[in-house]
Amino acid sequence: MNIAIFSPNQNPYSETFIQAHKNYLKGNIFYYFGSGSQIQLEGQERLMPLLRYKILRVFAKLFRKPSAYLWQERILYSLKVNNIDAILVEYGNHAHHLLPILKALQKSIVVHFHGYDASHRDVISRCNNYEDVFNVATYIVAVSKVMNDNLLKMGCPKGKLVYNVYGPQPEFHEVHPIFNKKQFIGIGRFTDKKAPYYTILAFNQVLSKHPDATLLMAGDGDLHNMCKNLIRHFKLEKSITLLGIINPKQFRTLLSESLAFVQHSITAENGDMEGTPLAVLEASCAGVPVIATSHAGISDVIVHKKSGLLCDEHDVDAMAENMLCLLDNVNYAKELGLFGKKHIASNFSMERHIKKLDEILLEAIENK
C-alpha cells in the first residue's frame, strides 16, 4: 500500500503516536504535514514541479479561482503522482480542513481522532459537528470509549466507527523499575485538561507526612509559568522540579526509579478532554503504577486498585491519599506495577494497535 498520512504539524514532541504510525504501518508512507499553503511532503522540496505550478498560478488568476485553489491542486497532484491508495488523516478537525481534497479523491480515507478534536466545543462547532467528515470517511478511529460515544452522538455512522487505543513503544516494556526513590513522575503538556496545578496541590499535602518525597514534572505549555509560581508560593522548589521537554529515553530512565506516575486530567471548561493519554500507557507498560483521575480513556486502560489508583476529577485530597498509600506501602506499588505491565502487554500493545490500523486501511481499500 501507498499510504498518505496528513498531520497539522511535523513531529511535535507530544504526538509520538503519529510517529508510531509513520514508523510501523505496513506499506510506503508519504507524510504530509502543515496546513493550507504550508503543507509539505516530508523528504521532498516541492509537491509539484515549479513550471507546472507557475502555469497553474496564471490559470488561477485568469479564471479568478479561490485562494485555496493552488494549495489544494498541489496536494491532489502529489497524491496522484505518488499513486496513493489510502489516506490517514490525524485529527478530525484537520480532516475538516482538508475536505475539498478528500471529496475530490476516489480514495479510501481513515480519519483518526485523538482528543480535543472530539471534545472541544468550539472546535466541533467550527467543523459543523463533522457531518461532512463522517460522510467522506471510510472509517473513523476513536481512542477511548468516551470518545467513541461522543462521536456516535455527533452522528458518526456506527458501521464506520472503530475503537482502537494507542500502544506504547516496545522499549517501555523493557523498563524494570527498582522503586528505590520516593519519587513521582508526570509528563505532558501544561494545559487545562492536564490540570498540572492539581498534581502540585496534591503533592503539597503529601509532603506533610513524607517531606523527603519528590515530584518531577516534564513538559511545557500555557500553564507552565503558573505552575512555577505555584511552586514558588508554597516554597516547594526543593521538592518539585519542572524538567521542561524530555525525550522518551529520558522518560524511561525516570520511570525506572520512580514510585508512581501521576496525572490529574480533567474536562476543561470548553469541553476539551483527553483521548487515552499515551504517557499513562507508557508508564503502566514500564511497570510503574499510575495515580490519575477516572477521566476519558484513562479508566479504559488503568484498572483501579490493580494497576493504579484512580480518583474523581478535581478531588485533590483523594489524589494526595493515593500518593500517600504507595509511599506507605512500596510492596503494594510493586504489585500494581507488575499487574499493569502484564495488562498493557496483553491488551494495549503497539503491535495490536498497528495491526488494527493496518487492517482498517487494507479493508478500506478493498471495499472502495
Side-chain angles (χ1 to χ4, degrees), residues 195-296:
Y197 47 86
Y198 276 153
T199 300
I200 293 171
L201 292 174
F203 184 72
N204 186 42
Q205 294 186 27
V206 167
L207 291 172
S208 63
K209 292 187 177 180
H210 289 271
D212 55 341
T214 57
L215 169 64
L216 306 179
M217 301 179 73
D220 203 353
D222 293 340
L223 299 181
H224 192 271
N225 283 338
M226 186 272 280
C227 288
K228 186 184 292 186
N229 291 336
L230 192 62
I231 291 168
R232 185 181 295 118
H233 172 75
F234 285 110
K235 297 180 173 56
L236 302 175
E237 293 93 335
K238 293 183 179 180
S239 302
I240 301 178
T241 303
L242 302 183
L243 301 172
I245 297 171
I246 63 174
N247 61 42
K249 184 177 180 180
Q250 292 170 313
F251 184 34
R252 290 193 293 273
T253 299
L254 294 173
L255 283 171
S256 70
E257 60 187 27
S258 294
L259 179 67
F261 175 89
V262 289
Q263 183 164 313
H264 197 113
S265 296
I266 63 171
T267 302
E269 288 286 327
N270 55 23
D272 190 15
M273 300 172 67
E274 305 270 18
T276 295
L278 186 58
V280 167
L281 285 159
E282 291 169 340
S284 195
C285 178
V288 175
V290 171
I291 294 175
T293 49
S294 299
H295 169 87

Side-chain angles (χ1 to χ4, degrees), residues 155-179:
C156 180
K158 190 173 182 179
K160 290 187 175 185
L161 193 54
V162 179
Y163 169 61
N164 188 29
V165 181
Y166 305 127
Q169 293 284 351
E171 291 84 357
F172 282 88
H173 191 69
E174 301 305 315
V175 177
H176 297 284
I178 53 179
F179 298 94

Side-chain angles (χ1 to χ4, degrees), residues 20 24 37 51 62 149 151 166 196 202 245 284 301 316 322 348 353:
Y24 298 125
S37 60
L51 178 59
L62 284 174
D149 292 343
L151 291 170
Y166 305 127
I245 297 171
S284 195
V301 298
V316 172
N322 288 339
F348 302 104
H353 171 72

Side-chain angles (χ1 to χ4, degrees), residues 77-123:
Y77 174 86
S78 179
L79 294 171
K80 182 178 180 181
V81 297
N82 287 313
N83 297 312
I84 298 300
D85 298 305
I87 294 174
L88 173 62
V89 185
E90 309 283 2
Y91 296 100
N93 57 321
H94 196 46
H96 184 267
H97 172 66
L98 297 171
L99 271 174
I101 294 166
L102 302 180
K103 288 180 177 180
L105 296 168
Q106 296 297 315
K107 300 290 180 184
S108 302
I109 298 163
V110 175
V111 179
H112 203 306
F113 283 78
H114 292 287
Y116 79 92
D117 50 346
S119 58
H120 193 299
R121 287 189 293 272
D122 291 343
V123 172

Side-chain angles (χ1 to χ4, degrees), residues 9-213:
N9 302 292
Q10 184 185 27
N11 305 335
Y13 78 94
S14 62
E15 296 179 351
T16 52
F17 43 83
I18 295 178
Q19 305 311 308
H21 296 166
K22 284 173 55 183
N23 295 332
Y24 298 125
L25 283 174
K26 291 180 181 177
N28 303 310
I29 303 299
F30 296 80
Y31 181 55
Y32 294 82
F33 60 91
S35 299
S37 60
Q38 301 302 309
I39 292 178
Q40 302 176 54
L41 173 57
E42 191 171 66
Q44 291 194 14
E45 186 177 352
R46 297 181 179 278
L47 294 176
M48 175 184 284
L50 182 58
L51 178 59
R52 188 182 183 96
Y53 178 65
K54 288 182 176 179
I55 294 171
L56 192 65
R57 284 183 62 184
V58 172
F59 176 83
K61 190 172 183 179
L62 284 174
F63 291 91
R64 298 182 180 179
K65 295 291 185 179
S67 58
Y69 173 79
L70 285 173
W71 69 261
Q72 292 170 3
E73 287 298 313
R74 287 166 58 224
I75 294 171
L76 287 169
Y77 174 86
S78 179
L79 294 171
K80 182 178 180 181
V81 297
N82 287 313
N83 297 312
I84 298 300
D85 298 305
I87 294 174
L88 173 62
V89 185
E90 309 283 2
Y91 296 100
N93 57 321
H94 196 46
H96 184 267
H97 172 66
L98 297 171
L99 271 174
I101 294 166
L102 302 180
K103 288 180 177 180
L105 296 168
Q106 296 297 315
K107 300 290 180 184
S108 302
I109 298 163
V110 175
V111 179
H112 203 306
F113 283 78
H114 292 287
Y116 79 92
D117 50 346
S119 58
H120 193 299
R121 287 189 293 272
D122 291 343
V123 172
I124 295 169
S125 178
R126 287 196 297 269
C127 295
N128 193 30
N129 277 30
Y130 296 113
E131 181 180 351
D132 290 335
V133 171
F134 295 154
N135 287 333
V136 76
T138 313
Y139 288 111
I140 301 289
V141 180
V143 298
S144 75
K145 293 177 181 177
V146 170
M147 181 188 291
N148 191 88
D149 292 343
N150 286 344
L151 291 170
L152 284 173
K153 291 175 184 176
M154 285 182 223
C156 180
K158 190 173 182 179
K160 290 187 175 185
L161 193 54
V162 179
Y163 169 61
N164 188 29
V165 181
Y166 305 127
Q169 293 284 351
E171 291 84 357
F172 282 88
H173 191 69
E174 301 305 315
V175 177
H176 297 284
I178 53 179
F179 298 94
N180 66 333
K181 294 183 179 181
K182 291 184 175 183
Q183 175 178 291
F184 297 92
I185 174 72
I187 182 172
R189 288 172 294 122
F190 282 59
T191 59
D192 286 342
K193 66 183 173 185
K194 300 283 188 183
Y197 47 86
Y198 276 153
T199 300
I200 293 171
L201 292 174
F203 184 72
N204 186 42
Q205 294 186 27
V206 167
L207 291 172
S208 63
K209 292 187 177 180
H210 289 271
D212 55 341

